[in-house]
Amino acid sequence: QKEVEQNSGPLSVPEGAIASLNCTYSDRGSQSFFWYRQYSGKSPELIMSIYSNGDKEDGRFTAQLNKASQYVSLLIRDSQPSDSATYLCAVTLRGQNFVFGPGTRLSVLP
Amino acid sequence: EAGVAQSPRYKIIEKRQSVAFWCNPISGHATLYWYQQILGQGPKLLIQFQNNGVVDDSQLPKDRFSAERLKGVDSTLKIQPAKLEDSAVYLCASSLLQASGRELFFGEGSRLTVL
């Protein structure tokens, strides 16, 4: 079983819609959860971090964490074409290394 | 504040040749990571340093890959001999501390093509 799983996509949404990205992880000892955005040919950049159950909002982005279900999601409200990128879910396992999922490609259509 | 520096940005070699990548982390960052990202996949950790000591190299193919971080600052990742499947982007990242919850800062990456 892979440690961090994501739908590879592509996920296509119209401009102005809500994009919903999902991630599941296998290790119940996971402590910290991150969403990174990666534009084509560029390196990943941090969008959100979340450490406790519930929602965390930052501008148009909301991260949701449910440790019981081992599930973390990212919602992007009022999606813009500039949000088109690959979104990587990352988890720290046992307080150590960052483990990345395969990423979900998001395409926001004008 | 200067970011994570990596070089070279691009490298093309033939299989069985050797290659080396260099990384200089953000000043003061104790933890340094090398990730391999194959096209269409997420980054995969190769090795993690805390200062100049190795924390995790469990996924490093030690028969061909080696890495060092002398003096706890910059680092070099070497591949010898290279295989076709080593074609990937090699990302260096650093963080302030090893503890969970610390943001990773990535360099621009070194793209390797093995022919």
Side-chain angles (χ1 to χ4, degrees):
Chain A
Q1 181 184 13
K2 293 184 179 178
E3 292 174 313
V4 181
E5 299 197 49
Q6 299 178 252
N7 291 325
S8 61
L11 173 65
S12 295
V13 300
E15 184 175 356
I18 296 175
S20 178
L21 304 163
N22 304 315
C23 171
T24 58
Y25 58 94
S26 60
D27 192 325
R28 287 194 175 275
S30 300
Q31 297 175 305
S32 304
F33 308 86
F34 305 85
W35 284 99
Y36 280 79
R37 177 176 61 199
Q38 187 173 29
Y39 291 113
S40 181
K42 300 295 185 182
S43 57
E45 56 180 337
L46 182 69
I47 299 176
M48 294 281 289
S49 58
I50 187 166
Y51 310 109
S52 55
N53 282 328
D55 294 359
K56 179 181 178 182
E57 186 175 320
D58 184 1
R60 295 187 296 112
F61 299 96
T62 299
Q64 299 174 318
L65 174 61
N66 184 327
K67 289 188 176 181
S69 300
Q70 296 175 242
Y71 175 92
V72 59
S73 66
L74 179 69
L75 300 177
I76 307 175
R77 290 182 299 280
D78 188 23
S79 295
Q80 301 297 309
S82 59
D83 295 326
S84 297
T86 295
Y87 289 80
L88 299 165
C89 174
V91 175
T92 58
L93 299 176
R94 296 175 290 279
Q96 297 282 333
N97 305 319
F98 288 74
V99 178
F100 286 84
T104 298
R105 281 193 297 132
L106 173 65
S107 178
V108 180
L109 307 174
Chain B
E1 178 183 74
V4 177
Q6 289 190 247
S7 67
R9 289 292 311 280
Y10 305 92
K11 190 74 176 179
I12 301 174
I13 62 174
E14 296 188 347
K15 60 183 179 183
R16 291 187 290 273
Q17 287 186 324
S18 63
V19 63
F21 303 112
W22 173 83
C23 171
N24 191 34
I26 293 172
S27 178
H29 280 198
T31 309
L32 185 148
Y33 309 77
W34 282 103
Y35 283 89
Q36 178 194 59
Q37 187 173 27
I38 294 172
L39 187 65
Q41 299 181 19
K44 176 185 125 180
L45 180 69
L46 293 175
I47 189 166
Q48 177 187 347
F49 293 95
Q50 178 75 11
N51 296 309
N52 61 347
V54 176
V55 174
D56 185 352
D57 63 355
S58 58
Q59 298 191 87
L60 186 73
K62 297 180 185 64
D63 57 335
R64 297 184 301 105
F65 286 65
S66 65
E68 61 182 9
R69 189 183 185 195
L70 300 176
K71 300 180 182 178
V73 182
D74 56 349
S75 176
T76 302
L77 176 70
K78 296 180 180 177
I79 308 174
Q80 181 179 14
K83 292 185 175 182
L84 297 177
E85 59 260 35
D86 298 332
S87 294
V89 176
Y90 291 85
L91 294 165
C92 179
S94 69
S95 65
L96 195 58
L97 290 173
Q98 180 183 344
S100 63
R102 299 296 177 180
E103 178 182 353
L104 289 184
F105 294 85
F106 285 89
E108 289 294 314
S110 294
R111 183 178 298 274
L112 173 66
T113 302
V114 182
L115 303 176

